[in-house]
Amino acid sequence: MKKIFILSLITICNLTRLAVAQTASVNGQIKSSSETLPGATVQLLHLPDSAAVSAQIADANGNFRFTNPKNGSYVVKAVMMGFQNSTSNSFSFTGQSITLPALVLKNSTKVLKAVTINGQVPQLEQKSDRLVVNVEKMITTGDNALEVLKKAPGIKLDKDDNILYRNNGGVNIMIDGRMTYMSSSEVSNYLKSLPANAVSKIELIANPPANFDAAGTAGVINIIMKRNRLQGFNGTATATTVYGTYGKVFGGANLNYNTGKLSFYTRANGGHAASYNKLNLGRQIGTDLYSQENYWHPIGDNVSYTAGADYFATAKQTFGFMFRGYNSPQNAKVTSNSVTTNQLGQQIGSVYMLKPQYTNTRTYSFNVNYSYAIDTLGQKLSFDADYVRSSNINNETFSNIYFDAAGTRLGDTVKQRNDNPAKYNIRSLKVDYVWPFAKTWRAETGWKSSWVSTNNNARFENLTAGNWITDLRRSNHFLYDENINAGYLTFNKTVGKKWEFKAGVRAEQTVSTGNSITQQEVVGRNYWKLFPSLFAAYKINIDHQLNASYSGRISRPGYSNLNPFTFFSDPYTAIKGNPYLQPSFSKSWLMSYTYKSFQVLSLSYVRVNNAVSTIISQNDQTKESIATYQNLGNTSSLNATSAGSFNIKKWWNVTANLDASYDKVNTMTQGTPYRSERLSWSAGTDQTFTLPKNFRIQLSGYYYSPSISGLARTLSGSQIDAAINKTFLDKKATLSFKVRDIFFGNRYRSVLQYNNINTTWQNEWESRRFSLGFTYQFGNLKIKTARNRNTGATSEENRM
């Protein structure tokens, strides 16, 4: 494998050297009356028909360079918001490099106003390979990033707030092109800590191409933060207060500073919040009914921060670094009241639990990167190195009090405690090369290697005769090491002005060792697999487009899911890892028809083998229900989606989405065949009214029907929101007020029925909330877009 990697680098270097040796170019610079203009759009137009041959963005010094155009006559045209267009004198290119006189753009207030008034970005945009949700078009006061994501087409949450895409939990979550290095629950908690007004866009990528990691059977969701929209001396500050059952305050700032050679950016968000979650759980055990109410009341702080810089060493070479951190300490009061009644409805026993809990997640990631733009046609070499360190703390103390049928206390309080620390270290290296050739062809190739190590030493103790004694049945020290090596190759071909094709293949090798020190059990794996991908796009005309795609993908088990530790949330309910979990493999097909920016219809089919789900084993004698991570046989989902935005009136915009899904589960459960299938649907709409004096009103609503999720059958729910905002101070300041879930219809309800399991769930939380928020933009807001980093740490993101 190392030899292949070295040969690939040699080949890339030779191609680079050859391309540079044969370069002739048209060079120039874009200026205003007093300074250079970075970020201007520059076009090379062929004469006499003024057909666009190539286009690019002027670099940090306003320079542009078109490499190896055909011999002929040309002009260069420069365009930038806030300035009048400028076109050079005509010139002839005969194979020798040319440097043109500087193009000077004049200020144009009228042009800027026209763009500001008429440029309407839709809330939903259908791209050739992804659906984009423009969050900035929504009123998101008091919302967090998870709540906004939940409104995106095809997105659902399960009972634990884990993200489902196309009704599949195997989805990779990226932020600014980088994975989050957290488990599903940690990703959800992190997104809850981010205010929605810090998010710029959400990209839903059902079938990612081969240059993406193959991880994620359902696809990839990329959340783009607002810092990527700003560069230079500018920024945004936000403050929000929220009240539901408890109060919350949040604040944050995005800052950017650009000196031309150096672009620095930073973002910090923090908050203090109290909330609750109430779970009502009912279990039929033999002829007895076991009813349980768990109440979780967390109070905590959270802070997330990002800092980075791009250094433009030359017009072609860029060096960058990025540091990101997240810290979320939290204290929670947890109570559980469990009552057992017989078939006559008579109480036969109960247990009350009090469990103070302290948790804290700390994650730090560091990235360094380098890119070399070999020519203006798109030939590029890039390199990324990532290091991530994360630690989780979870300390709990259980106090269990048991009562008989008459409500008389039985014995002393049973005291237990749990210490469950976990540490993760992740390193990755990635190199990518892009090579446009033969006019209509484009090739991409690259290599990535990642190394992961985890250490989880979970200790459960019982208080016996005044001494804390380790409970070996509930304790385990688990180590996990993993190395993934991957290489890919893709080819892209355009045929005329209507057809575009792309094909690629990615090979990934996985070498891992799971070591349960407590149980003296070692599980090793070494396997590799090919993941092909195919794409085709046909542009019928400027308004109508057809797309089709296919990809094969993998979802590896989460690191903690492999740990055979039994984690008890109360005396009768627990979850347990499984070191023998196998990866899940999926095949995904998608076809879509788009009219302008409206996704008229998207049809997709996903089939997953070895899908990971929790299977509950119930002991009718001890009343314990232990959920264990296991591989299912296969699941499939046929999904149809229609989504987009349009104007009924100039001042009335509608965004709507309709989603229907037919899901199947076919597996063996504890030696018994299990099969479930169901048709489900959901619908949502945002009605936005733009009023005089910079007022805007938004009414939102969505409904989801009963569906299936793993082995559970979920029930319906709905939510209605209303919001109003006003911009002032020359549109730099925005004040917003929002009411969420006015009719309190959003809650999670589900039913589990198989073998001896007959269980009902109902989760409710602080979904009805009142929010007041303020946003202020300052500094120079006309600077070009910041560089969006896609780094090497990808498939490891959601597995911690």
Side-chain angles (χ1 to χ4, degrees):
M1 193 65 73
K2 291 182 178 179
K3 292 180 179 180
I4 295 175
F5 179 54
I6 294 171
L7 289 173
S8 299
L9 286 180
I10 293 173
T11 301
I12 289 172
C13 292
N14 286 335
L15 289 170
T16 302
R17 183 176 61 185
L18 180 62
V20 173
Q22 296 177 345
T23 297
S25 59
V26 176
N27 308 293
Q29 189 178 52
I30 309 300
K31 292 184 175 181
S32 67
S33 58
S34 59
E35 59 183 7
T36 60
L37 282 180
T41 300
V42 188
Q43 293 178 305
L44 180 64
L45 306 179
H46 186 269
L47 296 179
D49 58 357
S50 294
V53 176
S54 182
Q56 60 179 265
I57 303 298
D59 68 14
N61 298 312
N63 296 321
F64 64 87
R65 185 169 184 257
F66 295 104
T67 305
N68 289 334
K70 289 183 177 181
N71 292 348
S73 297
Y74 297 91
V75 293
V76 170
K77 182 178 181 180
V79 179
M80 189 171 185
M81 182 181 294
F83 296 87
Q84 296 180 8
N85 300 345
S86 181
T87 304
S88 72
N89 294 327
S90 62
F91 60 91
S92 296
F93 181 81
T94 59
Q96 302 296 321
S97 293
I98 298 175
T99 299
L100 302 175
L103 277 177
V104 179
L105 305 187
K106 297 180 180 180
N107 288 319
S108 177
T109 305
K110 292 182 179 179
V111 173
L112 178 60
K113 288 183 178 178
V115 172
T116 303
I117 294 173
N118 298 325
Q120 297 294 326
V121 178
Q123 187 169 314
L124 291 175
E125 288 185 277
Q126 178 63 56
K127 303 294 186 181
S128 60
D129 62 345
R130 66 197 65 189
L131 181 65
V132 180
V133 181
N134 290 298
V135 179
E136 292 178 272
K137 300 296 294 182
M138 305 164 63
I139 300 178
T140 58
T141 305
D143 291 349
N144 58 53
L146 184 65
E147 290 167 336
V148 172
L149 177 60
K150 185 173 62 175
K151 292 185 177 181
I155 301 297
K156 298 179 182 178
L157 301 179
D158 68 8
K159 63 180 177 61
D160 299 314
D161 277 348
N162 297 313
I163 299 166
L164 306 178
Y165 181 34
R166 298 189 291 169
N167 216 28
N168 190 305
V171 56
N172 263 6
I173 308 298
M174 305 173 74
I175 296 179
D176 291 335
R178 304 187 66 233
M179 302 303 291
T180 52
Y181 289 105
M182 300 177 188
S183 66
S184 296
S185 60
E186 289 165 353
V187 166
S188 296
N189 289 333
Y190 175 69
L191 294 179
K192 289 176 184 177
S193 76
L194 291 178
N197 55 22
V199 178
S200 173
K201 297 181 179 181
I202 297 171
E203 297 180 334
L204 306 176
I205 312 172
N207 285 337
N211 57 304
F212 280 73
D213 290 335
T217 51
V220 170
I221 298 173
N222 184 27
I223 299 172
I224 301 175
M225 307 303 293
K226 280 186 179 177
R227 69 172 178 82
N228 290 309
R229 297 292 304 276
L230 301 172
Q231 191 181 80
F233 180 63
N234 51 52
T236 304
T238 63
T240 304
T241 180
V242 182
Y243 187 80
T245 305
Y246 303 99
K248 305 162 186 59
V249 290
F250 305 98
N254 298 333
L255 301 174
N256 293 264
Y257 182 67
N258 183 358
T259 66
K261 276 285 189 181
L262 180 67
S263 173
F264 175 79
Y265 55 88
T266 183
R267 178 181 73 245
N269 291 286
H272 175 82
S275 62
Y276 82 92
N277 182 283
K278 184 168 69 173
L279 166 65
N280 288 301
L281 180 66
R283 294 203 297 262
Q284 186 76 38
I285 304 177
T287 59
D288 297 334
L289 178 63
Y290 174 81
S291 300
Q292 176 179 337
E293 181 179 282
N294 287 358
Y295 188 83
W296 180 57
H297 176 40
I299 303 174
D301 305 303
N302 62 76
V303 60
S304 61
Y305 42 89
T306 301
D310 294 322
Y311 174 63
F312 303 96
T314 67
K316 294 184 176 182
Q317 298 186 78
T318 303
F319 296 86
F321 84 90
M322 179 165 57
F323 174 77
R324 187 173 68 203
Y326 171 63
N327 188 17
S328 179
Q330 179 178 271
N331 286 286
K333 177 183 178 182
V334 184
T335 62
S336 174
N337 189 33
S338 306
V339 178
T340 305
T341 56
N342 60 24
Q343 57 187 339
L344 299 177
Q346 300 168 333
Q347 181 173 320
I348 58 177
S350 64
V351 58
Y352 175 80
M353 181 198 74
L354 175 64
K355 184 180 70 172
Q357 180 187 60
Y358 173 76
T359 61
N360 193 1
T361 298
R362 295 187 180 96
T363 299
Y364 309 98
S365 61
F366 186 78
N367 165 264
V368 293
N369 56 81
Y370 166 78
S371 66
Y372 177 51
I374 300 169
D375 58 33
T376 58
L377 298 177
Q379 189 176 189
K380 183 179 179 181
L381 183 67
S382 59
F383 170 83
D384 279 274
D386 289 88
Y387 175 74
V388 178
R389 182 178 180 86
S390 181
S391 63
N392 298 330
I393 297 174
N394 186 4
N395 296 326
E396 302 171 313
T397 301
F398 299 79
S399 297
N400 301 315
I401 306 173
Y402 293 84
F403 301 89
D404 62 15
T408 303
R409 181 169 177 166
L410 299 173
D412 296 330
T413 300
V414 178
K415 290 186 174 291
Q416 302 164 318
R417 68 184 184 187
N418 173 51
D419 182 18
N420 187 21
K423 296 180 180 179
Y424 307 90
N425 287 284
I426 301 175
R427 297 160 292 155
S428 75
L429 296 173
K430 182 169 81 97
V431 60
D432 297 282
Y433 172 67
V434 180
W435 180 37
F437 66 99
K439 296 182 181 178
T440 60
W441 286 86
R442 174 187 173 99
E444 298 181 46
T445 187
W447 182 272
K448 177 189 171 184
S449 291
S450 64
W451 299 265
V452 177
S453 61
T454 75
N455 187 337
N456 184 197
N457 189 8
R459 297 183 300 275
F460 197 96
E461 298 175 322
N462 298 310
L463 184 62
T464 305
N467 298 311
W468 288 103
I469 307 299
T470 299
D471 186 341
L472 296 178
R473 185 174 70 97
R474 302 183 182 184
S475 302
N476 188 54
H477 189 188
F478 182 72
L479 304 177
Y480 182 76
D481 294 285
E482 178 183 83
N483 168 226
I484 299 176
N485 301 297
Y488 73 90
L489 179 65
T490 68
F491 289 96
N492 185 284
K493 166 71 174 175
T494 57
V495 180
K497 296 182 179 180
K498 292 183 177 292
W499 285 98
E500 182 178 359
F501 300 94
K502 186 172 184 177
V505 64
R506 186 179 185 92
E508 293 195 353
Q509 178 201 31
T510 305
V511 182
S512 66
T513 302
N515 182 7
S516 174
I517 297 176
T518 304
Q519 299 181 7
Q520 297 182 348
E521 184 177 35
V522 178
V523 178
R525 291 191 176 90
N526 187 340
Y527 60 92
W528 73 280
K529 191 172 179 63
L530 295 175
F531 302 95
S533 58
L534 297 169
F535 302 84
Y538 177 61
K539 182 173 287 188
I540 302 171
N541 55 42
I542 192 171
D543 292 330
H544 301 266
Q545 181 168 316
L546 297 173
N547 294 80
S549 62
Y550 163 82
S551 69
R553 303 190 63 76
I554 183 176
S555 281
R556 299 176 179 88
Y559 308 126
S560 60
N561 296 355
L562 295 166
N563 184 359
F565 167 69
T566 303
F567 179 82
F568 279 81
S569 57
D570 60 68
Y572 299 118
T573 310
I575 190 166
K576 182 179 181 180
N578 179 4
Y580 297 101
L581 278 177
Q582 298 292 322
S584 304
F585 295 95
S586 72
K587 295 179 180 180
S588 173
W589 292 263
L590 185 142
M591 296 181 64
S592 66
Y593 163 56
T594 304
Y595 173 69
K596 292 185 177 180
S597 295
F598 200 99
Q599 185 189 67
V600 178
L601 180 63
S602 174
L603 288 174
S604 69
Y605 177 74
V606 182
R607 180 179 175 87
V608 182
N609 292 321
N610 287 339
V612 174
S613 183
T614 53
I615 306 298
I616 295 178
S617 299
Q618 180 175 283
N619 188 315
D620 291 350
Q621 282 69 47
T622 65
K623 299 184 178 64
E624 289 182 346
S625 291
I626 298 178
T628 306
Y629 291 102
Q630 294 183 21
N631 291 106
L632 301 180
N634 62 73
T635 66
S636 62
S637 180
L638 177 62
N639 183 269
T641 300
S642 181
S645 60
F646 55 90
N647 286 333
I648 295 179
K649 297 288 186 179
K650 186 177 179 180
W651 47 269
W652 182 3
N653 177 263
V654 176
T655 297
N657 66 80
L658 178 64
D659 183 271
S661 182
Y662 185 71
D663 303 291
K664 288 184 178 182
V665 177
N666 189 6
T667 186
M668 296 291 293
T669 304
Q670 300 166 356
T672 303
Y674 179 87
R675 181 181 176 88
S676 178
E677 53 188 283
R678 180 150 198 164
L679 176 66
S680 61
W681 65 278
S682 62
T685 182
D686 288 331
Q687 310 277 332
T688 303
F689 305 91
T690 302
L691 305 178
K693 298 185 178 180
N694 296 321
F695 278 95
R696 193 159 59 119
I697 293 176
Q698 188 173 74
L699 301 177
S700 305
Y702 72 90
Y703 169 84
Y704 52 92
S705 75
S707 62
I708 60 175
S709 176
L711 302 187
R713 291 184 290 113
T714 63
L715 305 182
S716 62
S718 62
Q719 181 168 320
I720 301 293
D721 302 340
I724 183 172
N725 74 357
K726 176 179 173 57
T727 58
F728 51 99
L729 297 180
D730 197 24
K731 295 189 177 182
K732 291 184 177 181
T734 303
L735 185 66
S736 304
F737 177 75
K738 186 169 187 177
V739 184
R740 297 185 69 257
D741 198 11
I742 297 173
F743 302 106
F744 200 57
N746 188 16
R747 60 193 67 189
Y748 180 88
R749 298 175 297 163
S750 68
V751 178
L752 278 171
Q753 290 178 322
Y754 58 89
N755 299 346
N756 65 334
I757 305 297
N758 188 354
T759 301
T760 60
W761 292 72
Q762 177 167 305
N763 269 12
E764 66 176 61
W765 53 91
E766 221 176 351
S767 60
R768 181 190 293 158
R769 300 202 301 268
F770 301 86
S771 308
L772 181 66
F774 177 75
T775 301
Y776 182 71
Q777 300 179 73
F778 53 89
N780 186 353
L781 303 179
K782 300 178 183 178
I783 307 298
K784 66 170 184 172
T785 301
R787 200 165 60 114
N788 185 10
R789 288 302 309 144
N790 290 302
T791 70
T794 53
S795 63
E796 301 81 14
E797 291 287 345
N798 296 329
R799 299 175 56 213
M800 290 197 306

